[in-house]
Amino acid sequence: MFFLQILVFIASSISSVSADLKENLKLAGVRSVFPGDQNYASASKAYNLRFTFSPAAVTFPTTPGQVASVVKAAHNDNYNVVPRGGGHSYVANGLGGKTGSVVVDMSSMKAMKFFITTNTAVIETGNRLGDVALALNAVGRALPHGTCAQVGIGGHTAFGGYGFTSRQWGLALDPIFAINAVLADGTIVRATKASHPDLFWSLKGAAPSFAITTSIEVNTFAAPSYATVIKYVWKDMDSTTAGKSMFSFQEFSLSGPAAPFAGELLLTRGSKNGSVTFGFVGAWYGAKGSAIPTMQPWLDKMPRPSTSELIGNGSYIDSVAHLSGTPLNTPSAPLTTDTFYAKSLMTPEKDPMTLEACTSFMEYLSTKGFSSKTDWFAQVELYGGPNSKIREFANDATSFLRRDTLFTFQLYASSSTHKPPYPEEGFSFLDGMADSVTLKMHSGWNYGAYPNYIDERLHNWQLRYFGANYRRLQSIKDKLDPHNIFMFPQSIELTKKVTSPEPTPIFVQDSDQDSFDISTT
Ligand SMILES: Cc1cc2nc3c(=O)[nH]c(=O)nc-3n(C[C@H](O)[C@H](O)[C@H](O)COP(=O)(O)OP(=O)(O)OC[C@H]3O[C@@H](n4cnc5c(N)ncnc54)[C@H](O)[C@@H]3O)c2cc1C
Ligand SMILES: *[C@@H]1O[C@H](CO)[C@@H](O)[C@H](O)[C@H]1NC(C)=O
Ligand SMILES: *[C@@H]1O[C@H](CO)[C@@H](O)[C@H](O)[C@H]1NC(C)=O
C-alpha cells in the first residue's frame, strides 16, 4: 500500500509526458495508457523480467490510420516510437529497449484474411504464431515459423523466423510478398519488391528501424498430410562422446538430409560433473514411416539412446501443438514470462566447426554447466545443408543476412527461479559458452548472430547480424528515417549522428504481475 502511494506520487510529480503528446493521441482517438494510469504497470511489462522500462505512452491503435497518427504525434514531440507485436523481444525492444519511448502495441489489430483462389493470406501484425497456425490450418494451409505459440508474427517476421518447416519452406519472412507499413513521417505504404524495393528489402530483416508493419501479405503452403515430432535423449553423455556426437550431427547435416526433416540438438545439465544431457528434438513432414530412415545415417554413429519417441497423431497441427510450450489458442492461456539472458552463434556452412571446437563446447557444458546456478539450455538448430530452402536466396536478397548458415546456436540461461533478480554469473557463463566454440576456430571464422535472439551485450553486432548488408541498411535509414525516430538499442544507425533532444521520464514501475493485459476492452 505504502509502495503504491509512492508510485502515484512519483508519477504525478514528474509529469514529463508532454501535454501535446497526450492531447494529440486523444484527438486521434487512439486508446493510450500513460505513466500513473491504473493499467500502466501491466501495459508496460516485459516478457524478460530482467528489463523494466517506462514508456512515455503505450498506445493501442486499431487501424493503419491510427498507427500513422501515433507516429506523427510522437515525431512532433521528439519521442522515439517502437512497435510491439507479441512482446517477446529478449531485451524488451517492444517497449523501446529503454525508458521514454512511445509504444505502438499492435494487439488491437488481429484481422486475418485468406484468399482461396490464390492461397494467399493477409495477416495483421498483432497476431501471435499459435493463432496464425490455427487459422491457416482450418483452411488446410500453413506457414514456416517458430515453435512458441505466444511469439508475435510482427517481431518474428521482422528479423527472420525459424522453425522446423524452414528447411522446406524458408524463414517466416520468406513467403511475404507485400508489407503494409507506416513510415517515420506517417505515410502509409504497401511495399513490394516492385513498388518500394529498398523499403521491402529493409523490412525483411530489420523492420522496426524503418517502419511499423501493420499487415503482411503471404503465400501459404499446403499443410503437410503427415507430420511427426521426433525426440531422442542420451542421458549423462561424457564430453568426449558428446563432442563426437555433435560433430557427426554436423557431418550428417552437411550431407543434406531431405528438406521435410529439421531439428536441433538440445543440451541441458547432466546429473554428474563431466557429463551432459544430449537430446535431439525435430520434426518430419514427409511420408509416414520415413522419419527414422532419414536420420539413420546419423543414428548409426550414435550410442544407444536412453529414450526415443515419435510424438503426435500424424496431423500437422498436432505437431505444431506438441512443439509449443503453451496452447496454440493464445487468448485461452495466461501469457508467460521469464528472467534470462541469451546469446547466439550462426556457423557458416562453408567453414564448419572442427571436432576440437565441438568437444570444447561439450567440455564447457559438462563442467561449467554442471556447476552453474542458472537454469540453462543450449540449442543447435539445423538451418542449412544441401536441400534447405533457407539458403536458396543469396545473402543480399533480403536484409536478413546469414542464409549460408549451417547451425544457429541459442545459448540461454534463466535465473534459477525464472524470476528477478538475474545473477551476474549468467552473463559470464554464457560468454564463456560462446567462447568455448569461437576461440577454438581460426581467427577469421566468419560466424554470425541471430537478430531474433537479440543480445544487448553483443560486440560488433552490426557485423554479426548484418555484415555486408549493413551499409545499404544505413543509407536507406538516412533516406526513410532521417530524424531517427525509430531508434532503440541495436537499431540501424544513421550514417551521421543526429542531435535531437530525448525525453526520459523517470518512473518506477510495479512489476508484481505475471502477465500484461493487452486486450482492448
Ligand atoms: C519463448 C520464445 C520462443 C521463441 N522461439 C523462437 C523460434 O522457435 N524461432 C525463432 O526464430 N525465434 C524464436 N523466438 C524469438 C522471437 O522470434 C523473437 O523474440 C521475436 O522478435 C519476438 O517477436 P514479438 O512480436 O513477440 O516481440 P516484440 O517484443 O513485440 O517485438 C520484437 C521486435 O520486433 C519489433 N516489432 C514487433 N512488431 C513489429 C511490427 N509490427 N513492425 C515492425 N517491427 C515490429 C519490435 O519493435 C521489437 O524490436 C522465441 C522467443 C521466445 C521468447
Ligand atoms: C490430432 O490432434 C489434433 C489437435 O491436437 C486434433 O485437432 C485432431 O483431430 C487429431 N486427429 C486425430 C486423427 O486424432
Ligand atoms: C568438475 O570437473 C572439472 C574438471 O574435471 C573441475 O575443474 C571442476 O572443479 C569440477 N566441478 C565440480 C563442481 O566438482
Side-chain angles (χ1 to χ4, degrees):
M1 191 52 167
F2 176 65
F3 183 55
L4 279 178
Q5 278 166 353
I6 292 177
L7 284 182
V8 170
F9 169 73
I10 294 172
S12 53
S13 64
I14 54 166
S15 72
S16 51
V17 174
S18 124
D20 284 351
L21 178 69
K22 276 195 176 179
E23 188 59 25
N24 288 334
L25 290 173
K26 200 173 164 195
L27 280 174
V30 182
R31 188 171 82 85
S32 307
V33 174
F34 299 98
D37 288 354
Q38 200 199 349
N39 45 357
Y40 179 77
S42 60
S44 59
K45 183 160 183 168
Y47 170 76
N48 185 352
L49 300 177
R50 191 156 67 76
F51 297 95
T52 50
F53 296 126
S54 304
V58 181
T59 65
F60 297 86
T62 54
T63 62
Q66 285 203 342
V67 173
S69 299
V70 179
V71 171
K72 284 182 201 155
H75 197 170
N76 235 6
D77 251 355
N78 281 316
Y79 285 98
N80 288 136
V81 189
V82 288
R84 177 169 63 185
H88 278 52
S89 165
Y90 284 8
V91 301
N93 273 353
L95 288 170
K98 60 180 181 171
T99 278
S101 299
V102 172
V103 173
V104 178
D105 182 294
M106 299 303 295
S107 63
S108 305
M109 294 180 64
K110 290 190 169 170
M112 287 191 252
K113 271 189 212 144
F114 181 71
F115 299 89
I116 297 168
T117 47
T118 51
N119 282 320
T120 58
V122 182
I123 300 169
E124 282 192 324
T125 52
N127 284 292
R128 296 174 190 270
L129 302 184
D131 304 300
V132 173
L134 283 174
L136 288 177
N137 187 67
V139 291
R141 309 299 295 182
L143 285 174
H145 55 73
T147 50
C148 176
Q150 296 185 348
V151 164
I153 192 93
H156 194 60
T157 54
F159 294 106
Y162 168 84
F164 296 154
T165 49
S166 290
R167 287 189 76 246
Q168 60 175 359
W169 294 341
L171 298 171
L173 55 75
D174 287 332
I176 301 176
F177 62 86
I179 303 175
N180 298 290
V182 175
L183 303 182
D185 63 3
T187 321
I188 299 175
V189 297
R190 179 173 182 270
T192 65
K193 208 170 179 175
S195 62
H196 292 271
D198 282 348
L199 175 63
F200 189 64
W201 181 86
S202 306
L203 293 177
K204 288 192 169 207
S209 291
F210 296 88
I212 297 179
T213 67
T214 53
S215 62
I216 54 174
E217 300 180 29
V218 291
N219 292 308
T220 64
F221 299 84
S225 50
Y226 177 79
T228 186
V229 173
I230 310 164
K231 276 193 186 167
Y232 276 70
V233 177
W234 290 263
K235 282 185 190 147
D236 283 335
M237 199 183 255
D238 68 84
S239 58
T240 309
T241 308
K244 280 188 194 148
S245 298
M246 182 164 151
F247 190 69
S248 64
F249 183 67
Q250 181 176 256
E251 284 179 321
F252 165 66
S253 301
L254 287 167
S255 77
F261 171 85
E264 68 199 16
L265 301 181
L266 175 60
L267 304 151
T268 52
R269 188 192 313 265
S271 74
K272 51 182 191 264
N273 196 14
S275 73
V276 63
T277 302
F278 190 105
F280 173 84
V281 182
W284 170 255
Y285 306 100
K288 189 174 180 179
S290 298
I292 304 302
T294 302
M295 287 175 70
Q296 201 59 48
W298 178 52
L299 294 174
D300 283 346
K301 295 190 177 161
M302 293 293 290
R304 216 187 143 73
S306 317
T307 58
S308 62
E309 41 181 347
L310 293 182
I311 301 167
N313 65 13
S315 82
Y316 170 72
I317 200 67
D318 194 47
S319 76
V320 180
H322 278 288
L323 289 168
S324 175
T326 54
L328 296 185
N329 177 354
T330 67
S332 71
L335 294 175
T336 58
T337 58
D338 197 359
T339 303
F340 68 102
Y341 175 56
K343 299 189 84 68
S344 66
L345 290 177
M346 299 179 96
T347 75
E349 180 163 334
K350 285 202 199 77
D351 195 1
M353 291 177 291
T354 56
L355 174 60
E356 193 196 5
C358 295
T359 305
S360 164
F361 182 56
M362 294 302 173
E363 277 168 357
Y364 190 90
L365 297 185
S366 68
T367 55
K368 297 285 195 289
F370 179 72
S371 52
S372 173
K373 301 278 188 293
T374 63
D375 189 7
W376 61 271
F377 65 82
Q379 288 166 331
V380 182
E381 302 162 338
L382 175 56
Y383 269 53
N387 301 323
S388 174
K389 187 77 182 291
I390 298 173
R391 75 213 281 282
E392 276 179 17
F393 294 94
N395 275 356
D396 62 1
T398 54
S399 56
F400 178 92
L401 175 77
R402 295 190 182 264
R403 301 281 178 170
D404 50 357
T405 291
L406 181 63
F407 294 138
T408 295
F409 282 57
Q410 170 160 231
L411 314 175
Y412 189 113
S414 303
S415 69
S416 58
T417 58
H418 294 248
K419 295 241 149 57
Y422 191 73
E424 264 315 296
E425 178 233 336
F427 300 110
S428 54
F429 172 55
L430 287 193
D431 289 346
M433 199 187 284
D435 288 351
S436 74
V437 178
T438 57
L439 296 181
K440 292 291 171 185
M441 296 298 295
H442 61 92
S443 61
W445 196 44
N446 182 22
Y447 65 94
Y450 179 36
N452 253 338
Y453 298 157
I454 190 168
D455 168 4
E456 83 278 15
R457 295 169 62 259
L458 181 66
H459 296 299
N460 244 338
W461 58 266
Q462 296 90 339
L463 167 75
R464 298 291 173 222
Y465 293 147
F466 302 107
N469 288 343
Y470 196 68
R471 282 271 164 81
R472 182 173 173 200
L473 281 167
Q474 283 195 287
S475 74
I476 299 171
K477 177 83 173 174
D478 282 351
K479 282 188 210 121
L480 294 180
D481 185 16
H483 302 290
N484 207 5
I485 78 151
F486 293 130
M487 183 173 75
F488 52 89
Q490 300 183 348
S491 58
I492 305 302
E493 301 145 302
L494 294 169
T495 51
K496 285 193 213 104
K497 287 246 180 292
V498 280
T499 48
S500 66
E502 243 189 75
T504 48
I506 317 146
F507 178 70
V508 187
Q509 77 176 82
D510 174 9
S511 60
D512 263 348
Q513 275 164 292
D514 274 320
S515 63
F516 57 85
D517 174 15
I518 54 163
S519 61
T520 42
T521 47

